[in-house]
Amino acid sequence: MKSDMLTPVIRPAMVDDFTVIESLNHSVVNLTSPMDAERIQQLHAMSSYHRVIVQDSQLMAFLLVLGPDCDYDSVNYQWFDQHYDDFAYIDRIVVRDRSRGQGLGTILYEDLFAWAISQQIGNIVCEYNVEPLNEASRKFHDVLGFQEVSLERIGQAKRVSMQLRVLTV
């Protein structure tokens, strides 16, 4: 019975998860962007897909995704919104530190791909830092079939790789 408890369960994010989501996001804020409780509520309300992985009664990861035409002030999101009509924008994915490398991110992305296909969404888009380089994200997205569609400069010290994964719907 114990092994069943360790099976990762994907479910929709709920208000009760927001404190843990805030903490997980804060642990990697240098790779994402700040997100306090109010911001989580705003993004959750805008999101088309916001799911978590729970394993052994603990929230281990979350994935937050927005669709087109959201009133979202992210310059990266706005770039995709200007260039694509049909997309699911991965705003952020965070996996608990001690659980990285165990496939939880891949499980969430595969769930997102299946959801997007069921919704007739053909393009999954996201970005990752290339200056400074987020090598783990680069490798992760490369393995999952994402392709670079643009390089964009954000401010003085940051460049991001705009990524696209086309799904067959």
Side-chain angles (χ1 to χ4, degrees), residues 42-75:
Q42 292 169 347
L43 293 177
H44 178 79
M46 279 190 254
S47 70
S48 52
Y49 175 106
H50 187 195
R51 297 203 180 153
V52 298
I53 288 186
V54 177
Q55 191 172 21
D56 202 16
S57 306
Q58 190 166 36
L59 197 153
M60 304 306 273
F62 73 93
L63 176 57
L64 179 66
V65 178
L66 296 101
D69 302 320
C70 288
D71 187 24
Y72 185 27
D73 58 4
S74 157
V75 295

mmCIF file of all heavy atoms in Angstrom, residues 42-75:
data_model
loop_
_atom_site.group_PDB
_atom_site.id
_atom_site.type_symbol
_atom_site.label_atom_id
_atom_site.label_comp_id
_atom_site.label_asym_id
_atom_site.label_seq_id
_atom_site.Cartn_x
_atom_site.Cartn_y
_atom_site.Cartn_z
ATOM 1 N N GLN A 42 -4.108 36.234 -9.001
ATOM 2 C CA GLN A 42 -4.350 36.860 -10.311
ATOM 3 C C GLN A 42 -4.043 35.886 -11.440
ATOM 4 O O GLN A 42 -4.843 35.715 -12.363
ATOM 5 C CB GLN A 42 -3.477 38.113 -10.480
ATOM 6 C CG GLN A 42 -3.842 39.265 -9.586
ATOM 7 C CD GLN A 42 -2.764 40.354 -9.614
ATOM 8 O OE1 GLN A 42 -1.645 40.153 -10.098
ATOM 9 N NE2 GLN A 42 -3.105 41.511 -9.062
ATOM 10 N N LEU A 43 -2.871 35.261 -11.391
ATOM 11 C CA LEU A 43 -2.462 34.345 -12.461
ATOM 12 C C LEU A 43 -3.343 33.098 -12.490
ATOM 13 O O LEU A 43 -3.686 32.606 -13.563
ATOM 14 C CB LEU A 43 -0.986 33.974 -12.320
ATOM 15 C CG LEU A 43 -0.010 35.128 -12.538
ATOM 16 C CD1 LEU A 43 1.424 34.666 -12.306
ATOM 17 C CD2 LEU A 43 -0.156 35.723 -13.923
ATOM 18 N N HIS A 44 -3.715 32.597 -11.325
ATOM 19 C CA HIS A 44 -4.604 31.444 -11.257
ATOM 20 C C HIS A 44 -5.939 31.773 -11.937
ATOM 21 O O HIS A 44 -6.463 30.963 -12.708
ATOM 22 C CB HIS A 44 -4.813 31.019 -9.802
ATOM 23 C CG HIS A 44 -5.753 29.871 -9.635
ATOM 24 N ND1 HIS A 44 -5.373 28.569 -9.868
ATOM 25 C CD2 HIS A 44 -7.058 29.831 -9.288
ATOM 26 C CE1 HIS A 44 -6.406 27.770 -9.653
ATOM 27 N NE2 HIS A 44 -7.443 28.508 -9.303
ATOM 28 N N ALA A 45 -6.463 32.957 -11.661
ATOM 29 C CA ALA A 45 -7.742 33.370 -12.249
ATOM 30 C C ALA A 45 -7.642 33.494 -13.772
ATOM 31 O O ALA A 45 -8.606 33.209 -14.486
ATOM 32 C CB ALA A 45 -8.196 34.693 -11.636
ATOM 33 N N MET A 46 -6.483 33.900 -14.282
ATOM 34 C CA MET A 46 -6.265 34.053 -15.728
ATOM 35 C C MET A 46 -5.923 32.734 -16.407
ATOM 36 O O MET A 46 -6.084 32.596 -17.613
ATOM 37 C CB MET A 46 -5.079 34.986 -15.987
ATOM 38 C CG MET A 46 -5.374 36.433 -15.911
ATOM 39 S SD MET A 46 -3.911 37.345 -16.531
ATOM 40 C CE MET A 46 -3.259 37.960 -15.010
ATOM 41 N N SER A 47 -5.425 31.773 -15.638
ATOM 42 C CA SER A 47 -4.844 30.565 -16.231
ATOM 43 C C SER A 47 -5.892 29.698 -16.916
ATOM 44 O O SER A 47 -7.051 29.658 -16.522
ATOM 45 C CB SER A 47 -4.113 29.746 -15.159
ATOM 46 O OG SER A 47 -5.025 29.162 -14.259
ATOM 47 N N SER A 48 -5.429 29.019 -17.946
ATOM 48 C CA SER A 48 -6.270 28.018 -18.601
ATOM 49 C C SER A 48 -5.928 26.619 -18.090
ATOM 50 O O SER A 48 -6.724 25.696 -18.200
ATOM 51 C CB SER A 48 -6.098 28.088 -20.120
ATOM 52 O OG SER A 48 -4.739 28.036 -20.472
ATOM 53 N N TYR A 49 -4.738 26.487 -17.522
ATOM 54 C CA TYR A 49 -4.253 25.211 -16.984
ATOM 55 C C TYR A 49 -3.356 25.551 -15.805
ATOM 56 O O TYR A 49 -2.354 26.251 -15.977
ATOM 57 C CB TYR A 49 -3.486 24.468 -18.079
ATOM 58 C CG TYR A 49 -2.812 23.180 -17.665
ATOM 59 C CD1 TYR A 49 -3.337 21.950 -18.046
ATOM 60 C CD2 TYR A 49 -1.632 23.185 -16.928
ATOM 61 C CE1 TYR A 49 -2.707 20.764 -17.693
ATOM 62 C CE2 TYR A 49 -1.001 21.997 -16.566
ATOM 63 C CZ TYR A 49 -1.540 20.799 -16.953
ATOM 64 O OH TYR A 49 -0.917 19.624 -16.602
ATOM 65 N N HIS A 50 -3.712 25.115 -14.621
ATOM 66 C CA HIS A 50 -2.873 25.315 -13.431
ATOM 67 C C HIS A 50 -3.004 24.048 -12.601
ATOM 68 O O HIS A 50 -4.011 23.831 -11.938
ATOM 69 C CB HIS A 50 -3.343 26.541 -12.642
ATOM 70 C CG HIS A 50 -2.430 26.910 -11.513
ATOM 71 N ND1 HIS A 50 -2.809 27.765 -10.512
ATOM 72 C CD2 HIS A 50 -1.158 26.549 -11.235
ATOM 73 C CE1 HIS A 50 -1.812 27.913 -9.655
ATOM 74 N NE2 HIS A 50 -0.800 27.184 -10.071
ATOM 75 N N ARG A 51 -2.004 23.202 -12.704
ATOM 76 C CA ARG A 51 -2.077 21.906 -12.028
ATOM 77 C C ARG A 51 -0.861 21.701 -11.142
ATOM 78 O O ARG A 51 0.182 22.328 -11.322
ATOM 79 C CB ARG A 51 -2.188 20.783 -13.057
ATOM 80 C CG ARG A 51 -3.480 20.942 -13.857
ATOM 81 C CD ARG A 51 -3.976 19.705 -14.483
ATOM 82 N NE ARG A 51 -5.210 19.990 -15.222
ATOM 83 C CZ ARG A 51 -5.616 19.310 -16.249
ATOM 84 N NH1 ARG A 51 -4.919 18.277 -16.688
ATOM 85 N NH2 ARG A 51 -6.739 19.622 -16.856
ATOM 86 N N VAL A 52 -1.035 20.789 -10.207
ATOM 87 C CA VAL A 52 0.025 20.444 -9.266
ATOM 88 C C VAL A 52 0.226 18.938 -9.281
ATOM 89 O O VAL A 52 -0.666 18.187 -9.703
ATOM 90 C CB VAL A 52 -0.312 20.912 -7.824
ATOM 91 C CG1 VAL A 52 -0.458 22.429 -7.760
ATOM 92 C CG2 VAL A 52 -1.555 20.219 -7.282
ATOM 93 N N ILE A 53 1.398 18.529 -8.819
ATOM 94 C CA ILE A 53 1.655 17.113 -8.557
ATOM 95 C C ILE A 53 1.769 16.945 -7.050
ATOM 96 O O ILE A 53 2.537 17.664 -6.398
ATOM 97 C CB ILE A 53 2.948 16.608 -9.229
ATOM 98 C CG1 ILE A 53 2.754 16.509 -10.737
ATOM 99 C CG2 ILE A 53 3.360 15.252 -8.656
ATOM 100 C CD1 ILE A 53 3.923 15.873 -11.471
ATOM 101 N N VAL A 54 0.986 16.022 -6.540
ATOM 102 C CA VAL A 54 1.047 15.667 -5.127
ATOM 103 C C VAL A 54 1.588 14.246 -5.048
ATOM 104 O O VAL A 54 1.164 13.365 -5.795
ATOM 105 C CB VAL A 54 -0.357 15.757 -4.473
ATOM 106 C CG1 VAL A 54 -0.298 15.302 -3.018
ATOM 107 C CG2 VAL A 54 -0.894 17.169 -4.583
ATOM 108 N N GLN A 55 2.550 14.071 -4.157
ATOM 109 C CA GLN A 55 3.159 12.757 -3.970
ATOM 110 C C GLN A 55 3.366 12.558 -2.478
ATOM 111 O O GLN A 55 3.917 13.444 -1.809
ATOM 112 C CB GLN A 55 4.493 12.704 -4.722
ATOM 113 C CG GLN A 55 5.101 11.344 -4.826
ATOM 114 C CD GLN A 55 6.314 11.347 -5.757
ATOM 115 O OE1 GLN A 55 6.922 12.369 -6.009
ATOM 116 N NE2 GLN A 55 6.652 10.180 -6.254
ATOM 117 N N ASP A 56 2.910 11.454 -1.969
ATOM 118 C CA ASP A 56 3.030 11.158 -0.538
ATOM 119 C C ASP A 56 2.469 12.319 0.299
ATOM 120 O O ASP A 56 3.101 12.782 1.244
ATOM 121 C CB ASP A 56 4.486 10.856 -0.180
ATOM 122 C CG ASP A 56 4.603 10.031 1.102
ATOM 123 O OD1 ASP A 56 3.586 9.446 1.518
ATOM 124 O OD2 ASP A 56 5.699 9.988 1.672
ATOM 125 N N SER A 57 1.299 12.816 -0.106
ATOM 126 C CA SER A 57 0.563 13.899 0.579
ATOM 127 C C SER A 57 1.272 15.246 0.549
ATOM 128 O O SER A 57 0.912 16.143 1.299
ATOM 129 C CB SER A 57 0.261 13.531 2.036
ATOM 130 O OG SER A 57 -0.408 12.308 2.110
ATOM 131 N N GLN A 58 2.273 15.404 -0.304
ATOM 132 C CA GLN A 58 3.001 16.672 -0.357
ATOM 133 C C GLN A 58 2.983 17.240 -1.770
ATOM 134 O O GLN A 58 3.175 16.498 -2.741
ATOM 135 C CB GLN A 58 4.442 16.466 0.105
ATOM 136 C CG GLN A 58 5.182 17.766 0.308
ATOM 137 C CD GLN A 58 6.476 17.549 1.077
ATOM 138 O OE1 GLN A 58 7.158 16.540 0.905
ATOM 139 N NE2 GLN A 58 6.821 18.499 1.915
ATOM 140 N N LEU A 59 2.755 18.540 -1.871
ATOM 141 C CA LEU A 59 2.779 19.201 -3.170
ATOM 142 C C LEU A 59 4.235 19.275 -3.630
ATOM 143 O O LEU A 59 5.071 19.884 -2.965
ATOM 144 C CB LEU A 59 2.172 20.604 -3.053
ATOM 145 C CG LEU A 59 1.754 21.251 -4.366
ATOM 146 C CD1 LEU A 59 0.633 22.257 -4.126
ATOM 147 C CD2 LEU A 59 2.908 21.932 -5.059
ATOM 148 N N MET A 60 4.534 18.623 -4.771
ATOM 149 C CA MET A 60 5.914 18.497 -5.239
ATOM 150 C C MET A 60 6.251 19.422 -6.401
ATOM 151 O O MET A 60 7.416 19.720 -6.632
ATOM 152 C CB MET A 60 6.183 17.053 -5.679
ATOM 153 C CG MET A 60 5.890 16.028 -4.599
ATOM 154 S SD MET A 60 6.732 16.349 -3.056
ATOM 155 C CE MET A 60 8.263 15.539 -3.343
ATOM 156 N N ALA A 61 5.218 19.832 -7.163
ATOM 157 C CA ALA A 61 5.472 20.637 -8.358
ATOM 158 C C ALA A 61 4.184 21.319 -8.781
ATOM 159 O O ALA A 61 3.092 20.868 -8.433
ATOM 160 C CB ALA A 61 5.987 19.749 -9.493
ATOM 161 N N PHE A 62 4.345 22.405 -9.545
ATOM 162 C CA PHE A 62 3.187 23.043 -10.152
ATOM 163 C C PHE A 62 3.543 23.549 -11.539
ATOM 164 O O PHE A 62 4.712 23.791 -11.847
ATOM 165 C CB PHE A 62 2.625 24.180 -9.276
ATOM 166 C CG PHE A 62 3.454 25.432 -9.253
ATOM 167 C CD1 PHE A 62 3.208 26.477 -10.147
ATOM 168 C CD2 PHE A 62 4.472 25.594 -8.329
ATOM 169 C CE1 PHE A 62 3.968 27.633 -10.127
ATOM 170 C CE2 PHE A 62 5.235 26.750 -8.300
ATOM 171 C CZ PHE A 62 4.983 27.782 -9.203
ATOM 172 N N LEU A 63 2.519 23.681 -12.370
ATOM 173 C CA LEU A 63 2.658 24.188 -13.731
ATOM 174 C C LEU A 63 1.506 25.155 -13.975
ATOM 175 O O LEU A 63 0.349 24.796 -13.793
ATOM 176 C CB LEU A 63 2.609 23.028 -14.725
ATOM 177 C CG LEU A 63 2.638 23.364 -16.219
ATOM 178 C CD1 LEU A 63 3.860 24.185 -16.606
ATOM 179 C CD2 LEU A 63 2.591 22.083 -17.043
ATOM 180 N N LEU A 64 1.858 26.383 -14.372
ATOM 181 C CA LEU A 64 0.883 27.447 -14.580
ATOM 182 C C LEU A 64 0.943 27.889 -16.040
ATOM 183 O O LEU A 64 2.010 28.258 -16.532
ATOM 184 C CB LEU A 64 1.193 28.621 -13.656
ATOM 185 C CG LEU A 64 0.296 29.836 -13.738
ATOM 186 C CD1 LEU A 64 -1.107 29.500 -13.260
ATOM 187 C CD2 LEU A 64 0.864 30.967 -12.893
ATOM 188 N N VAL A 65 -0.211 27.831 -16.738
ATOM 189 C CA VAL A 65 -0.280 28.060 -18.182
ATOM 190 C C VAL A 65 -1.414 29.033 -18.489
ATOM 191 O O VAL A 65 -2.493 28.943 -17.900
ATOM 192 C CB VAL A 65 -0.529 26.709 -18.914
ATOM 193 C CG1 VAL A 65 -0.667 26.900 -20.410
ATOM 194 C CG2 VAL A 65 0.588 25.720 -18.583
ATOM 195 N N LEU A 66 -1.155 29.949 -19.430
ATOM 196 C CA LEU A 66 -2.170 30.919 -19.854
ATOM 197 C C LEU A 66 -2.401 30.807 -21.354
ATOM 198 O O LEU A 66 -1.477 30.486 -22.104
ATOM 199 C CB LEU A 66 -1.727 32.341 -19.509
ATOM 200 C CG LEU A 66 -1.589 32.618 -18.018
ATOM 201 C CD1 LEU A 66 -0.139 32.572 -17.605
ATOM 202 C CD2 LEU A 66 -2.181 33.950 -17.674
ATOM 203 N N GLY A 67 -3.613 31.108 -21.754
ATOM 204 C CA GLY A 67 -3.957 31.109 -23.168
ATOM 205 C C GLY A 67 -3.884 32.504 -23.759
ATOM 206 O O GLY A 67 -3.442 33.453 -23.098
ATOM 207 N N PRO A 68 -4.314 32.653 -25.018
ATOM 208 C CA PRO A 68 -4.250 33.949 -25.698
ATOM 209 C C PRO A 68 -5.174 34.989 -25.056
ATOM 210 O O PRO A 68 -6.132 34.654 -24.363
ATOM 211 C CB PRO A 68 -4.722 33.640 -27.117
ATOM 212 C CG PRO A 68 -4.863 32.174 -27.220
ATOM 213 C CD PRO A 68 -4.847 31.601 -25.847
ATOM 214 N N ASP A 69 -4.855 36.237 -25.345
ATOM 215 C CA ASP A 69 -5.719 37.377 -25.002
ATOM 216 C C ASP A 69 -5.936 37.576 -23.510
ATOM 217 O O ASP A 69 -6.976 38.092 -23.109
ATOM 218 C CB ASP A 69 -7.082 37.266 -25.712
ATOM 219 C CG ASP A 69 -6.923 37.187 -27.226
ATOM 220 O OD1 ASP A 69 -6.064 37.912 -27.768
ATOM 221 O OD2 ASP A 69 -7.644 36.391 -27.846
ATOM 222 N N CYS A 70 -4.974 37.188 -22.694
ATOM 223 C CA CYS A 70 -5.056 37.486 -21.261
ATOM 224 C C CYS A 70 -4.479 38.877 -21.017
ATOM 225 O O CYS A 70 -3.599 39.327 -21.742
ATOM 226 C CB CYS A 70 -4.247 36.480 -20.444
ATOM 227 S SG CYS A 70 -4.967 34.848 -20.367
ATOM 228 N N ASP A 71 -4.938 39.520 -20.001
ATOM 229 C CA ASP A 71 -4.421 40.838 -19.630
ATOM 230 C C ASP A 71 -3.222 40.646 -18.704
ATOM 231 O O ASP A 71 -3.254 41.020 -17.537
ATOM 232 C CB ASP A 71 -5.539 41.647 -18.953
ATOM 233 C CG ASP A 71 -5.118 43.083 -18.689
ATOM 234 O OD1 ASP A 71 -4.222 43.579 -19.393
ATOM 235 O OD2 ASP A 71 -5.694 43.694 -17.765
ATOM 236 N N TYR A 72 -2.177 40.017 -19.240
ATOM 237 C CA TYR A 72 -1.009 39.660 -18.442
ATOM 238 C C TYR A 72 0.135 40.588 -18.810
ATOM 239 O O TYR A 72 0.462 40.751 -19.982
ATOM 240 C CB TYR A 72 -0.658 38.188 -18.701
ATOM 241 C CG TYR A 72 0.464 37.629 -17.858
ATOM 242 C CD1 TYR A 72 0.763 38.143 -16.598
ATOM 243 C CD2 TYR A 72 1.217 36.565 -18.309
ATOM 244 C CE1 TYR A 72 1.782 37.616 -15.830
ATOM 245 C CE2 TYR A 72 2.232 36.017 -17.550
ATOM 246 C CZ TYR A 72 2.512 36.551 -16.305
ATOM 247 O OH TYR A 72 3.532 36.006 -15.545
ATOM 248 N N ASP A 73 0.780 41.168 -17.798
ATOM 249 C CA ASP A 73 1.797 42.193 -18.030
ATOM 250 C C ASP A 73 3.202 41.655 -18.288
ATOM 251 O O ASP A 73 4.150 42.419 -18.351
ATOM 252 C CB ASP A 73 1.817 43.188 -16.862
ATOM 253 C CG ASP A 73 2.081 42.512 -15.515
ATOM 254 O OD1 ASP A 73 2.329 41.284 -15.483
ATOM 255 O OD2 ASP A 73 2.022 43.211 -14.490
ATOM 256 N N SER A 74 3.351 40.369 -18.489
ATOM 257 C CA SER A 74 4.657 39.781 -18.795
ATOM 258 C C SER A 74 5.046 40.099 -20.236
ATOM 259 O O SER A 74 4.294 39.807 -21.172
ATOM 260 C CB SER A 74 4.593 38.255 -18.614
ATOM 261 O OG SER A 74 5.599 37.615 -19.353
ATOM 262 N N VAL A 75 6.249 40.665 -20.437
ATOM 263 C CA VAL A 75 6.688 40.972 -21.808
ATOM 264 C C VAL A 75 6.868 39.706 -22.631
ATOM 265 O O VAL A 75 6.644 39.717 -23.847
ATOM 266 C CB VAL A 75 7.979 41.830 -21.831
ATOM 267 C CG1 VAL A 75 7.739 43.197 -21.231
ATOM 268 C CG2 VAL A 75 9.135 41.136 -21.130
#
